[in-house]
Amino acid sequence: MDTPSFPSSSASFGLVGRALRDYIRQHGPDAAEGSAGSESDRSEITIPRPERTGDAEEQILGAVNLDRDLRITRCNLDAPAFEGLTVEPGNDFVDLLPPGDVPTVTRRLRQVIETGEAHVARVQRLRRDDGSEFVVSLSILPAATPQEGLTVSLIAMAKRLHLYASETAIGTSLDIGETAQSLAQSLLAWGDVVAVDLDYAVWSGEAVIEQARERIRLRRAALVPDRVWPAGYRIPGDDLPREAVRLLSLAVRRDDVAQAVVIPDRETIERALGSRRLVSALVPTDRPVSLACLPLVLDGSGGGPPVVLGVAEVWRRPDRPFHDSELLDLQELVARTAHHVDLARQHHREHAQVLALQRRLLPRGRDDTIEVATVYQPTTPDSAGVGGDWVNSFPLPGGRTALVVGDVVGHGLGAAAAMGQVSMEARALLSAGLAPDEVLGHLDETVTMLDDADAGLASGYSALGSTCCIAVYDPVSRQVVVSSAGHLPPVLVLPDATAETLTVRPHPGLGAEFALREPFDVHTFDAPRGSLLALYTDGLVEDPAVAIDEGVGMLRQAVSRVHPWDDLQGAARRVVAELAPQGRQRDDVTLLLARMAGRHERDTAAWRLPARDDAPARARSLASALLRRWSVREDTRDSALLLISELVTNAVRFATGPVSVRLIRTGHGLLCEVGDTGNGRPRMRRGGPFDDRGRGLRVVHKLTRRWGVRWTDTGKVVWAELAC
């Protein structure tokens, strides 16, 4: 952690800095020599040591003198706290630092030389000869004369300061792995190797509950320092052996009380593990070693026993036994971290739930008239949460296909709940035969109701301003009907690779204020066979560095390069990879590509008949000839003729105006549509034994796989699907 100089702002840092400056100014770096200029009597800096207590190691100061080239001239690092740190005159001071800290510390050293202003109480790691690290409080003080260079003081009592710094650093991320890694890095101040193992339920986001000891499953989450480990030793991502899990769970839950366990030497560790395989999996070195196991626990609900989230293992040489004060510091840090791990687990669970809901809404299956590919790329897991993007495609009556994309305002479970409700309502209304603009009108009312005091603002979430775009493709007419509520316009690529942004009148979005609310427009576009339609959300084209129109233009160019022979799903992934923001992603990215093939003219037929009594017979005659040309089986042909007769009879009997009949041959059956100018909705009723009304619809229901009604500008269309 790179901390600035603290001349007066921090009391604790200031006291340390003033004490060091006063001491060195009073005694000088050459105080032990009697004469500053005596070269023959030079000796290392002598700093009086306080009386040693049980934790005397934490009370020792050391000092290192540097020349202006940052090379060591003399030092006093004889205290036990600095054991394993080789400091020789003439060596570079930065050789004592971890490689990642060299640039920052070098810059600080140069700054003190140039300005003459001390830099005190920097929390810093030093690297021992064996590669292990420990933490000190490092202060850089200018010498009495600029030519003499610097004095670097090291206080090996920085663990409490390090404890405070660690507590403030841990928990800044909502990612479980990063939180565990932060804990491991912080614990390294008390040991040579640190491993953090978490219960499998934490990784999966499940609710962590008190469970039988032998059923706790641990997986390694973090391991420091970064080095080459012996073969068989468990590294991050590995599951611990079942026997080791049982041993550790027993250790940290002995008598149902969460407590640290210290194993003082390698012989005791090997005897406790009892297996060479377990030793190689859990012990990080072949040398003598001691171990402190520290549980990550939560208080049990209802006063029950604590619930284990995982275990932190601190390994170090046995000649440095763990003191009681150190164990208290370790337990305090681990206990505080357990809360952050549980928060990260809850965030992971919420993220997984929302992601599962959104993926459940992704299109499934395909139709012989249209090919659909979707890419959904959720936001970075440790950001505010998964966004409210959603996309769907599904078949509609009459062989049509609905393509829907939307973006609900906000992130997290509130956005997910609104997204699920809006998307399901859109599908239900479209399947019921409503036009896209009518559907958006209903969604507008839904979003407004979601924002009332009980459902929206009181819970801190509002869906006002959500956007949605609905496109309905008719493979017979080869047209696309589009209606949009504040959403970015679709992009249509014609068969000749000409790409255009469809002109859709802008709208304020769903749930707009009444004064701003406008009717939703419907736009119809021709989509010849082989055309490609792109629907997307703003996360794909928005970039703070470029205008939104430029982002849409880049999308237009990208989709125009999709070849008709390209695999559509692969092409969608390439477009997203080309346009999506790099690095940390702050918004969901959603893309839907639809390649429209249409229906061949030979697979459809339509007739317009006057509403007379002979219309059913005329319709049967025309349909019979067509079905023979299509080589439809006789039993299917008879069912189709009976179906057409019943539907046309109902149209003539209950409606006015001409009757339209359309037959469509699909890959899996026949689709029959009968339209009229009436506005009455056919309904099946349970009739009595002598009731003739409704028998025709019961016949239709028995003959077909499904049937329904959709509304048009001039009346209605009754449709029915018949399996071949």
Side-chain angles (χ1 to χ4, degrees):
M1 182 176 67
D2 191 1
T3 58
S5 177
F6 291 90
S8 60
S9 61
S10 174
S12 59
F13 286 6
L15 288 173
V16 173
R18 284 194 296 272
L20 287 172
R21 288 196 294 271
D22 292 341
Y23 178 82
I24 294 180
R25 285 171 180 170
Q26 292 175 12
H27 301 279
D30 301 321
E33 301 173 331
S35 173
S38 176
E39 293 292 334
S40 60
D41 296 333
R42 274 188 182 175
S43 62
E44 296 180 348
I45 301 173
T46 301
I47 299 179
R49 303 179 181 180
E51 290 185 14
R52 293 177 63 92
T53 63
D55 293 316
E57 180 179 339
E58 293 190 349
Q59 308 295 326
I60 301 302
L61 294 102
V64 179
N65 275 17
L66 308 180
D67 60 19
R68 295 182 64 84
D69 295 327
L70 307 184
R71 287 192 295 266
I72 300 172
T73 58
R74 47 192 150 170
C75 65
N76 182 359
L77 296 177
D78 294 336
F82 302 106
E83 184 179 351
L85 194 69
T86 300
V87 182
E88 298 290 344
N91 292 348
D92 292 330
F93 177 74
V94 295
D95 292 342
L96 304 177
L97 306 174
D101 294 348
V102 170
T104 301
V105 177
T106 300
R107 186 174 64 254
R108 292 295 186 188
L109 293 170
R110 296 290 184 192
Q111 182 180 352
V112 174
I113 291 177
E114 294 171 0
T115 64
E117 297 180 0
H119 176 72
V120 299
R122 170 188 170 84
V123 179
Q124 179 59 51
R125 298 180 187 274
L126 297 182
R127 188 173 58 175
R128 297 189 180 95
D129 299 341
D130 61 0
S132 62
E133 298 177 357
F134 68 103
V135 176
V136 299
S137 177
L138 179 147
S139 296
I140 308 170
L141 308 174
T145 59
Q147 292 75 18
E148 294 183 7
L150 303 170
T151 296
V152 178
S153 70
L154 307 174
I155 307 178
M157 56 177 290
K159 288 183 179 177
R160 292 300 301 179
L161 181 63
H162 174 71
L163 184 66
Y164 169 77
S166 299
E167 290 173 357
T168 57
I170 295 174
T172 57
S173 171
L174 288 174
D175 182 80
I176 296 175
E178 291 183 10
T179 302
Q181 185 71 18
S182 298
L183 173 62
Q185 291 285 358
S186 301
L187 293 178
L188 197 59
W190 287 268
D192 302 322
V193 175
V194 176
V196 177
D197 308 318
L198 297 178
D199 186 1
Y200 187 80
V202 176
W203 288 104
S204 61
E206 301 171 6
V208 182
I209 58 175
E210 194 272 335
Q211 53 184 316
R213 300 171 181 176
E214 65 275 5
R215 298 190 63 183
I216 296 177
R217 299 175 295 170
L218 295 177
R219 174 175 294 177
R220 183 133 296 171
L223 179 63
V224 291
D226 187 12
R227 63 174 64 165
V228 178
W229 300 101
Y233 185 64
R234 294 300 190 263
I235 61 175
D238 292 343
D239 293 332
L240 270 63
R242 183 177 299 274
E243 300 85 352
V245 169
R246 186 181 304 117
L247 173 65
L248 293 176
S249 66
L250 288 172
V252 300
R253 301 198 47 208
R254 190 170 52 212
D255 300 326
D256 286 333
V257 177
Q259 55 186 316
V261 173
V262 177
I263 306 179
D265 53 61
R266 186 180 183 90
E267 291 74 17
T268 306
I269 294 173
E270 292 180 349
R271 188 165 55 253
L273 294 177
S275 166
R276 284 185 175 273
R277 183 174 64 87
L278 292 182
V279 170
S280 63
L282 295 178
V283 181
T285 178
D286 296 332
R287 300 178 182 178
V289 69
S290 63
L291 167 66
C293 288
L294 303 136
L296 284 84
V297 296
L298 296 175
D299 293 335
S301 59
V307 178
V308 176
L309 296 179
V311 177
E313 306 167 21
V314 181
W315 302 80
R316 71 185 191 188
R317 297 189 303 272
D319 57 351
R320 298 171 54 213
F322 290 95
H323 298 291
D324 290 343
S325 62
E326 291 181 303
L327 291 176
L328 289 175
D329 290 343
L330 290 170
Q331 288 179 307
E332 179 181 348
L333 181 58
V334 171
R336 292 178 181 270
T337 304
H339 173 67
H340 294 298
V341 170
D342 191 51
L343 288 178
R345 177 197 63 81
Q346 295 178 34
H347 176 80
H348 176 75
R349 179 179 61 182
E350 177 181 319
H351 186 274
Q353 289 172 344
V354 177
L355 188 59
L357 174 60
Q358 288 178 314
R359 295 202 183 281
R360 184 77 178 102
L361 295 175
L362 293 179
R364 287 172 171 80
R366 57 173 297 173
D367 187 80
D368 55 353
T369 63
I370 187 171
E371 181 183 2
V372 177
T374 58
V375 175
Y376 170 68
Q377 193 168 290
T379 186
T380 305
D382 64 343
S383 65
V386 178
D389 288 13
W390 53 281
V391 61
N392 205 351
S393 70
F394 46 91
L396 294 178
R400 301 168 303 151
T401 300
L403 309 169
V404 189
V405 64
D407 189 357
V408 173
V409 173
H411 296 79
L413 286 179
M419 176 262 296
Q421 185 165 348
V422 171
S423 61
M424 288 295 98
E425 183 175 350
R427 177 163 189 160
L429 294 174
L430 287 167
S431 298
L434 272 66
D437 58 326
E438 295 177 292
V439 173
L440 290 179
H442 286 282
L443 297 184
D444 185 73
E445 296 178 3
T446 297
V447 170
T448 302
M449 289 188 295
L450 287 175
D451 199 61
D452 62 21
D454 294 330
L457 296 177
S459 61
Y461 173 75
S462 173
L464 296 180
S466 300
T467 65
C468 180
C469 181
I470 301 176
V472 176
Y473 172 61
D474 188 337
V476 177
S477 64
R478 296 177 184 172
Q479 289 182 328
V480 177
V481 177
V482 178
S483 191
S484 176
H487 205 82
L488 293 173
V491 173
L492 180 64
V493 182
L494 298 176
D496 61 357
T498 301
E500 61 175 322
T501 302
L502 299 184
T503 304
V504 178
R505 183 178 178 181
H507 190 277
L510 300 175
E513 293 293 338
F514 182 79
L516 301 176
R517 194 173 298 166
E518 299 178 359
F520 297 96
D521 295 322
V522 178
H523 307 269
T524 303
F525 304 93
D526 292 330
R529 182 182 179 87
S531 299
L532 186 68
L533 184 68
L535 301 178
Y536 54 95
T537 57
D538 53 4
L540 181 63
V541 296
E542 273 191 346
D543 188 335
V546 299
I548 187 67
D549 291 341
E550 184 177 344
V552 175
M554 295 171 60
L555 172 64
R556 193 166 53 243
Q557 295 175 5
V559 295
S560 67
R561 293 193 292 269
V562 177
H563 194 275
W565 294 346
D566 289 346
D567 174 69
L568 196 59
Q569 187 63 50
R573 294 194 185 100
R574 289 195 301 272
V575 171
V576 170
E578 178 180 346
L579 299 179
Q582 301 299 318
R584 192 170 292 272
Q585 187 177 306
R586 293 302 179 186
D587 197 6
D588 294 355
V589 171
T590 305
L591 173 66
L592 181 149
L593 293 183
R595 181 181 284 153
M596 294 165 284
R599 291 203 181 276
H600 294 286
E601 294 182 359
R602 62 176 180 270
D603 292 329
T604 64
W607 306 282
R608 190 176 181 86
L609 306 174
R612 299 195 305 244
D613 292 340
D614 62 344
R618 178 63 177 161
R620 285 196 304 270
S621 175
L622 295 171
S624 177
L626 176 66
L627 295 176
R628 291 183 184 278
R629 291 199 303 271
W630 283 351
S631 300
V632 176
R633 293 186 316 184
E634 183 176 355
D635 57 340
T636 304
R637 185 169 66 249
D638 293 341
S639 298
L641 295 178
L642 178 57
L643 174 65
I644 293 172
S645 180
E646 292 293 341
L647 293 180
V648 173
T649 299
N650 282 348
V652 171
R653 182 176 180 181
F654 298 104
T656 60
V659 176
S660 62
V661 179
R662 185 167 73 166
L663 278 178
I664 302 173
R665 179 172 59 175
T666 66
H668 49 271
L670 291 174
L671 178 62
C672 177
E673 296 181 343
V674 175
D676 58 56
T677 58
N679 55 11
R681 182 182 183 89
R683 298 178 183 275
M684 284 187 59
R685 294 180 175 85
R686 187 181 299 276
F690 303 105
D691 189 358
D692 291 335
R693 295 175 60 87
R695 291 185 180 274
L697 284 183
R698 285 195 288 272
V699 171
V700 171
H701 186 73
K702 291 290 186 181
L703 291 176
T704 60
R705 291 187 301 186
R706 61 177 187 147
W707 67 277
V709 181
R710 77 171 190 270
W711 307 101
T712 66
D713 294 337
T714 58
K716 68 176 182 297
V717 173
V718 181
W719 57 270
E721 292 183 1
L722 188 67
C724 286

